[in-house]
Structure formats: C-alpha cells, structure tokens
Amino acid sequence: MNELINYTLQLADNSLILGHRNSEWTGHGPILEQDIAISNIVLDLIGQARNFYQYAAVLINNSTNQQFNQSTTEDTLAYLRNENEFKNCLLVEQPNGDWAKTILRQFFFSAYQFYLYQHLQNSNDETIAAIAEKSLKEVTYHLRWSSEWIIRLGDGTEESNSRMQKAIDDLWMYTDEFFEASSYELFAANEGFGAGVSLLKKDWMKKVKDVFDEATLSVPAELKQQIKWFGKEGKHSEHLGYILTEMQFLQREYPNSIW
Amino acid sequence: MEEQNSISNDDGNNSPSGARGNEWPLWEIFIRSKNGLDHKHAGSLHAADAEMAIENARDVYTRRMEGVSIWAVESKYIHASNPDEASSLYDPANDKLYRHPTFYDLPDELRNM
Amino acid sequence: MHNQEEEKIFLDKIDKEIKIEPKDWMPEQYRKTLIRQISQHAHSEIVGMLPEANWITRAPSLRRKATLIAKVQDEAGHGLYLYSAAETMNISRDEMIEQLHSGKAKYSSIFNYPTLSWADMGAIGWLVDGAAIMNQVPLCRCSYGPYARAMIRICKEESFHQRQGFEILLTLSKGSEAQKQMAQDSINRWWWPSIMMFGPNDDASPHSKQSMAWKIKRFSNDELRQKFIDVCAEQVKILGLTLPDEKLKWNEERKHYDFGEINWEEFWNVVNGNGPCNKERLAARVKAHEDGAWVREAAAAHAKKNPRPLKGRLATV
C-alpha cells in the first residue's frame, strides 16, 4: 500500500512542481501568444497533479496505518509535506532560466511522461490507468509544442542555437534520473500498477535524438557530472526548498484555515 | 477604461503596419465550433509559422471548448471587398426576390414543398 | 467622394447603429480616439496580469492556483483580442507596445497598486473586475465593429473573474479572525482606487462628449461610477464587511448611494507615474519583451528558412 501511495505521489509531485515552475512565466512570456500557451500547459500539469493527489488522499485515508493525523486532502499533500517528502525528479525543480531552458525542461519531461503514461494506461490500478489515459492527450500536445520549439530555437539563429546547446549542457545530467528506478517504482513495476522506468529509456532517447537532429542540436557524448542523489527518493537540490517555502506559506502561516 | 481616454495627450500612431521587420505575421483564425457547422472568423493573432498559428489559435480561441477544427490564414492573403463599391456589389441582389422561396404564391393545400 | 459626403454617410451609420468596419471611411479623429482607447485598454489587460501573477506561486490551494492562472491567462487573451482590434486600424502591435514601454501610452492606473495579501486576489476580482465590467458592457455596443466584437468575447469570459474574486472574499469573511481582517484590509486598500477607475468627473473629462456622440462611449464616467457604487454597497453586506467610506449612505430621494469625496490628487499622481508600482510594472513588461526578443527573432528566422510546414518533418509527433 505504501508503495502505491508513494508511486501516486511521485506522479503528482512531478506535475505540480513543473507546473509551478512554468507558472512563473505567466505574465512574463516572450510574446503574448506564448504566454498563453505555457499557461495552458501549467493548467494541464496542475490538473494532473490534482487528480493524482486526490487519489493518493483516498488511499491514505483508507489505509489502516494513518500517516497523518488529520484527514488527508489534495491540499494537505501539496501544502503540508516537507521537502524530503516530495518525490519529484530533480529536473522539474530546476529554475526556468531563459526560454530555451524552460522549453528543453518541458521537452525532456514531456517525452518521458509520454512514454510513461502510455504504459500507465495499462496499469492494473484502474485509477492510475484512467488518469494516465486522460493526461496522455495533454502530454501528447505538450510534446508536440515543445518539440517544435526545440526545432525553432535550434535551427533559428546563431544565438538561439547556442542558448539551446547551453540548456542541454545544463539539464542533460538530470535526465538519467527518469530511468533509475526507486524502490517504490521497482515494486510498482513488479506488481503491475507502475511502469518499468528503465525500459522507457530507449524510446525516450530516440525521440530526443530525432528532434535534436531536426534542430541541429547534439546530445552530449558523456555525462560530465553523474548525479548521485535522487529527487524521487526525497533528496533534492537546493531549489525545492525555496519553491515550497513560497508555495506553502499561507497554509503554514494560517494552519487549519479554509481558502 | 475611461480614465485613459481623458488623460493622454497622445493622438495615437497612425503609420502603416508591417514596417517593422521582426514582428511575427498576423493570422486570421477561423473556427468550426461544432461538427457540421461552417468555420467562422474568430479573430486574429501573431505566429511565426503555420503550426504555431494553429496552436496559438487553440490556446487563444478554444480555451472554453469553442472549437473542433481550426483554419489559419495569414492576414496578408485575405482580400477584402471595398466598402465604396458596396452599392454596386450588393444592391443589385435587392430586386431579385424571385430567388427566395417566399416569392412564389402557392395554395396552402400544397404540402412538402 | 468628398469628405463631407463621406462624413455624412459615416454619421448616418452611427445614427442608425450600423457598425463602422475597418475599411469604411471614418474621421481621422475617430480613428485616433479608438486607437488610443483600444490600445490603452489592451495595455491595461497586459499590465493587469502582473499584480495577480504576483500571487500565482503563493495561491493557498490547488483549486485557487488553477483558477488564478486561468484568470490571468484570460487577461492575456483579452489583451490579444484588443491589440487585434486596434491592428485593424493600421497600427501594429509592435508600435503599440513601443508606446507602452516608452511611457507614451497609458494603462489603467489601478494596476500600479501593489497586491499585498491573498485577499487582494479577491478584491481585484470583485472590485477591479467589477468596475471594468461596468465599463465594458456598454462597449459591446461600441460603434466600431472589431472593438465591439472583441468586447463581446471579453465580457463573456470576464463573468467568471468577478465571481471567483467574490468567492475568495466570501471564504475569507467566513474564516478565522485573521482571514476576515485580511479581507477587510484588502477592501480598504482597493475601494477608492476602484471607483477612480471610472475616470475624472464628467465636467473634467474633455474627450467624453465626442466619444458619446460617436457612440464609442454610451454612459458618462459619473453615471457608471454611481451604478458601481450602488451595486457594491449592497454586495458588501453579504460579506459582512464594510466599504471604507463614512459618507456612504443610501439617499432615498436620489435612489442612489451618496458617497465621499474622491482624492483626485492621488488619482492624477498615479496617472502621472508616481503610484506605488508604476516603475515596477513597466519595468516587468519591458524586461519580458526584451528577454523575449531573441526568441521571436529565432522563430521568425526558422520560419523564413523553412517554408515547409514543421509537421511534415516531425513524423512521430
């Protein structure tokens, strides 16, 4: 049961934290139309997070060994857990940087989510399967949108190409985490409610290479820096603490209030 | 907002558009709101290319389930009739009432026609 | 045709409530008035995103976060519709943005006030959007077709904005003492700036008369302001909170609420750039635009190099 809860929370946390990051663009996008576009993606991601949190809350409230004193809701999960309880991967908490870095972060994540949710549609957990199926439509669009932007920027101007290449150098090292299974992901894959993440790597890599080829961008030959800690196990970069401080402040400052 | 009307001494800029190089082209967006209906002009937006125009249209004009199909046409390809010629273009249709079914006087007993 | 004849046709159309369309003849001053009004309206939507976006990352629940983002995003859409309407009058969006950034064009002063607490999301929705709607509904019948059509779309979408604002305040007003205070404080700060949104008193509003004659405007500033105050004075009772005006009192004779003196000095001060956030708001817009320059340039360059649609080259997407 704990594994199912953790697995669900991880799916929720990934979407929430990336949505949170992207939402920092709202009002500040490079052009009005793209401000609207990225805000739409934010709304999709927050919607996914809410679906998964709501499911996790049901699981927690039904489980005999209650982890929380009060009744758990989507908001207690998002707003009252600490940094080390969040299970999102490191990539999604990375700062926005410029438009190139934001686009690349979205592309890496959407490509991962795309193959992940294809598997999760067939999860033997009906709720996860249903959420994955609904979300896959959104993710398909996010992947298309971010792929096109990768190509525009890679193949655009000299400046945009070098900004893309720099973004790749900055973010590439975080992508391995997708495919390194945590204990609850291994359990999930064995039990059939989750996906074997290491199996997603091949498809993901092919997708990235195809789009990068079209964009005249290249994948780094080898990892300059191997990440030895993993967000999905609750070990984060320094960034997450700031995200949560900001996100959770009202709930923490005024406990037990209704908003 | 009314306050602005009254305060600015600026008279607006009236120079022709498109003079500036880097602005993305303007597109006219047509949306089919339901299967079986015509595409209808929804508005316009800026986009660098056709895909982006369609995607922007999706985000801008169908946020509330307003559409099932989108057409995007670069505005410069739209040719509009000249309002000065309106009378010569459209008035001649006014006296051709025989094109309309109500023009014909038929007995009420006649059914299914 | 002579101008006189054209002007007669134009005025005739106005008289008969026939919309003026982009290619129709129109007096130069009509065009200029509209460009100024529509572009300033568009700028207000875009700058207006900032005070609310300020709270997106701090929204206190996931539901509130999603609705706030959707609302701010709508404002971007509204700015876009309005820029498009102005673009039918031979001015480019770039030119309008330049006018905003150089300070030549104004935007609604209300957005130069800071958002200091979560309750401000409620007060903005209820009061600022409420005042905006009061102004905007008559614009749906504006004589210029593209503007009227944009306004119809905007008004349809706006209806959820005010409701979500009121709901935020209502929830706070039923909450803890601290939440109630937060709501009252917010109303205290936003009330007067909101009623200033209707602009100067009629006798101090020089352009109004011509705009009314051309049916760009349908009601005077003071008429709309009175209507707004009458509505809010009743609505605030549902919140169990008060409006910060000791002179606010129902006048049975006038069938309207009487209200206190507006501080026009503050109004003009903010209009003229000395409000609490004028510099920050403009700086944020300029920064977004400048930071985005290379992005816009890259996409344009790519489109130029690749006339073939992207999709054909992206088989798997």
Side-chain angles (χ1 to χ4, degrees):
Chain A
M1 196 59 183
N2 268 338
E3 282 83 0
L4 178 57
I5 292 169
N6 284 339
Y7 192 76
T8 309
L9 284 174
Q10 184 218 15
L11 295 170
D13 291 344
N14 272 334
S15 293
L16 177 64
I17 300 300
L18 185 59
H20 181 97
R21 273 297 192 215
N22 282 340
S23 78
E24 294 169 13
W25 277 104
T26 303
H28 306 274
I31 186 170
L32 212 38
E33 283 83 350
Q34 294 303 321
D35 204 306
I36 295 171
I38 195 154
S39 302
N40 247 12
I41 290 176
V42 172
L43 289 173
D44 288 343
L45 289 168
I46 290 177
Q48 291 166 14
R50 292 185 68 185
N51 285 330
F52 285 123
Y53 282 135
Q54 284 164 10
Y55 181 46
V58 169
L59 294 172
I60 291 166
N61 288 330
N62 289 343
S63 73
T64 43
N65 72 15
Q66 287 262 351
Q67 295 182 336
F68 297 82
N69 293 331
Q70 64 188 118
S71 162
T72 302
T73 66
E74 57 171 2
D75 286 331
T76 63
L77 290 170
Y79 289 90
L80 297 177
R81 278 181 309 145
N82 290 329
E83 200 184 323
N84 60 7
E85 294 169 287
F86 268 74
K87 294 166 178 54
N88 60 279
C89 57
L90 296 174
L91 178 85
V92 296
E93 68 197 45
Q94 297 310 304
N96 287 347
D98 60 8
W99 188 249
K101 194 170 172 188
T102 294
I103 289 290
L104 184 71
R105 188 182 60 197
Q106 188 63 48
F107 171 65
F108 282 161
F109 183 73
S110 293
Y112 164 69
Q113 245 190 343
F114 181 75
Y115 297 111
L116 176 66
Y117 284 6
Q118 280 190 341
H119 282 264
L120 293 185
Q121 284 188 108
N122 303 315
S123 165
N124 61 16
D125 183 294
E126 278 176 25
T127 309
I128 289 184
I131 300 171
E133 189 186 347
K134 178 183 176 291
S135 306
L136 187 58
K137 292 177 196 159
E138 298 163 355
V139 171
T140 303
Y141 182 75
H142 304 168
L143 181 56
R144 167 183 160 168
W145 179 85
S146 57
S147 299
E148 289 176 4
W149 265 111
I150 298 271
I151 293 168
R152 285 189 195 105
L153 297 181
D155 180 50
T157 60
E158 217 169 286
E159 178 180 5
S160 68
N161 181 280
S162 74
R163 281 177 184 264
M164 272 312 309
Q165 202 59 60
K166 170 153 189 335
I168 295 170
D169 293 342
D170 287 349
L171 294 181
W172 185 254
M173 65 178 179
Y174 298 107
T175 59
D176 233 24
E177 184 183 355
F178 294 152
F179 312 110
E180 297 275 344
S182 59
S183 57
Y184 54 85
E185 283 174 308
L186 280 178
F187 184 89
N190 283 334
E191 293 291 310
F193 63 80
V197 284
S198 59
L199 303 175
L200 306 175
K201 188 167 184 173
K202 210 178 119 209
D203 284 338
W204 183 88
M205 198 61 100
K206 183 174 182 317
K207 177 84 211 168
V208 168
K209 284 202 166 126
D210 283 353
V211 172
F212 277 17
D213 278 351
E214 187 67 40
T216 67
L217 294 165
S218 49
V219 171
E222 57 183 293
L223 284 180
K224 283 183 199 150
Q225 190 186 348
Q226 193 80 37
I227 299 285
K228 291 278 189 246
W229 65 95
F230 292 112
K232 51 173 80 165
E233 303 274 19
K235 299 188 190 86
H236 291 276
S237 62
E238 289 179 347
H239 304 298
L240 186 67
Y242 290 98
I243 292 177
L244 296 186
T245 302
E246 194 172 335
M247 185 169 84
Q248 298 179 336
F249 113 86
L250 278 171
Q251 288 266 0
R252 302 268 189 195
E253 176 87 20
Y254 304 94
N256 304 316
S257 300
I258 292 166
W259 299 96
Chain B
M1 316 250 144
E2 298 305 327
E3 80 186 50
Q4 304 143 5
N5 299 329
S6 347
I7 53 181
S8 171
N9 299 319
D10 167 38
D11 278 328
N13 191 328
N14 212 2
S15 67
S17 64
R20 299 164 49 83
N22 254 335
E23 189 164 32
W24 291 350
L26 195 64
W27 301 70
E28 299 303 320
I29 304 302
F30 300 83
I31 309 255
R32 185 200 298 285
S33 59
K34 263 200 293 199
N35 275 319
L37 296 184
D38 290 326
H39 285 76
K40 207 177 136 202
H41 188 233
S44 46
L45 48 76
H46 289 271
D49 53 54
E51 269 85 9
M52 200 198 277
I54 298 268
E55 288 163 16
N56 289 348
R58 168 218 189 242
D59 291 334
V60 172
Y61 290 108
T62 70
R63 291 199 302 285
R64 289 175 169 77
M65 305 174 287
E66 292 102 330
V68 295
S69 164
I70 296 170
W71 288 348
V73 186
E74 240 191 284
S75 307
K76 67 179 180 191
Y77 295 120
I78 302 265
H79 296 275
S81 60
N82 187 341
D84 290 348
E85 292 157 9
S87 56
S88 63
L89 283 172
Y90 314 116
D91 288 356
N94 289 350
D95 63 353
K96 311 226 172 15
L97 295 177
Y98 45 80
R99 290 193 199 275
H100 299 274
T102 47
F103 178 77
Y104 300 92
D105 201 9
L106 294 172
D108 291 346
E109 306 91 85
L110 185 70
R111 303 270 176 223
N112 299 321
M113 185 181 282
Chain C
M1 267 190 282
H2 297 301
N3 259 11
Q4 254 176 338
E5 216 173 309
E6 283 170 324
E7 182 153 9
K8 193 182 164 297
I9 297 173
F10 170 83
L11 290 173
D12 210 40
K13 280 188 186 163
I14 299 270
D15 202 42
K16 290 182 181 148
E17 300 282 338
I18 297 172
K19 296 277 181 249
I20 307 300
E21 294 296 339
K23 293 190 110 188
D24 291 343
W25 185 91
M26 58 189 88
E28 200 45 35
Q29 201 53 39
Y30 177 84
R31 183 193 302 274
K32 283 178 176 172
T33 301
L34 273 168
I35 287 180
R36 187 178 59 226
Q37 176 167 341
I38 302 172
S39 67
Q40 291 179 356
H41 193 164
H43 298 326
S44 299
E45 296 282 355
I46 301 312
V47 177
M49 296 169 74
L50 298 170
E52 289 176 282
N54 186 30
W55 279 87
I56 286 174
T57 53
R58 291 178 287 173
S61 74
L62 294 176
R63 175 172 175 264
R64 292 286 180 215
K65 194 189 277 291
T67 49
L68 183 60
I69 293 166
K71 177 178 186 254
V72 178
Q73 189 201 31
D74 270 354
E75 280 151 16
H78 298 171
L80 194 153
Y81 306 155
L82 290 162
Y83 282 129
S84 299
E87 280 173 287
T88 63
M89 304 191 99
N90 278 330
I91 182 168
S92 70
R93 195 197 290 177
D94 268 358
E95 282 172 89
M96 290 184 267
I97 288 176
E98 210 172 271
Q99 291 175 358
L100 170 69
H101 292 178
S102 69
K104 206 172 149 195
K106 304 277 189 215
Y107 55 87
S108 182
S109 282
I110 192 82
F111 303 117
N112 289 320
Y113 290 87
T115 49
L116 302 176
S117 78
W118 169 251
D120 289 6
M121 299 304 100
I124 288 182
W126 176 42
L127 297 174
V128 177
D129 290 322
I133 290 168
M134 205 62 92
N135 262 327
Q136 288 169 354
V137 168
L139 289 174
C140 296
R141 295 191 291 130
C142 165
S143 58
Y144 187 58
Y147 191 25
R149 289 190 287 274
M151 289 316 307
I152 288 171
R153 190 177 274 275
I154 290 170
C155 285
K156 255 189 219 162
E157 298 186 354
E158 284 268 348
S159 57
F160 106 76
H161 295 184
Q162 202 190 5
R163 294 173 70 95
Q164 70 98 36
F166 197 81
E167 193 195 70
I168 288 173
L169 289 178
L170 192 61
T171 309
L172 293 174
S173 73
K174 290 178 181 162
S176 66
E177 203 44 50
Q179 285 178 304
K180 216 182 261 179
Q181 262 180 34
M182 197 189 279
Q184 184 62 60
D185 168 68
S186 178
I187 292 172
N188 292 349
R189 281 182 290 110
W190 289 95
W191 172 247
W192 289 103
S194 298
I195 63 173
M196 291 181 200
M197 282 175 72
F198 295 93
N201 291 129
D202 293 345
D203 48 14
S205 182
H207 295 283
S208 283
K209 212 175 146 209
Q210 180 63 74
S211 284
M212 303 265 279
W214 279 333
K215 295 187 182 166
I216 295 172
K217 240 177 122 148
R218 300 274 177 172
F219 299 98
S220 78
N221 295 354
D222 288 331
E223 281 176 301
L224 289 169
R225 182 169 17 245
Q226 182 68 61
K227 205 172 155 199
F228 178 70
I229 291 171
D230 289 347
V231 167
C232 291
E234 291 300 318
Q235 289 175 342
V236 76
K237 294 177 188 167
I238 299 172
L239 296 174
L241 301 170
T242 55
L243 297 174
D245 180 355
E246 284 171 3
K247 293 189 177 151
L248 189 77
K249 202 175 164 238
W250 177 253
N251 181 329
E252 185 56 36
E253 215 169 291
R254 291 203 308 129
K255 299 281 177 209
H256 286 297
Y257 275 88
D258 289 337
F259 53 96
E261 189 58 31
I262 293 172
N263 181 350
W264 292 112
E265 197 186 322
E266 173 183 329
F267 173 77
W268 290 111
N269 222 355
V270 182
V271 168
N272 291 324
N274 302 316
C277 298
N278 295 56
K279 289 188 180 64
E280 287 91 335
R281 298 293 185 243
L282 209 53
R285 286 314 311 156
V286 170
K287 182 176 188 306
H289 191 71
E290 285 176 357
D291 288 353
W294 70 271
V295 178
R296 299 189 299 275
E297 201 181 313
H302 172 77
K304 210 168 171 188
K305 277 193 268 181
N306 298 275
R308 197 154 76 91
L310 265 165
K311 203 165 25 182
R313 292 176 286 126
L314 264 182
T316 48
V317 173

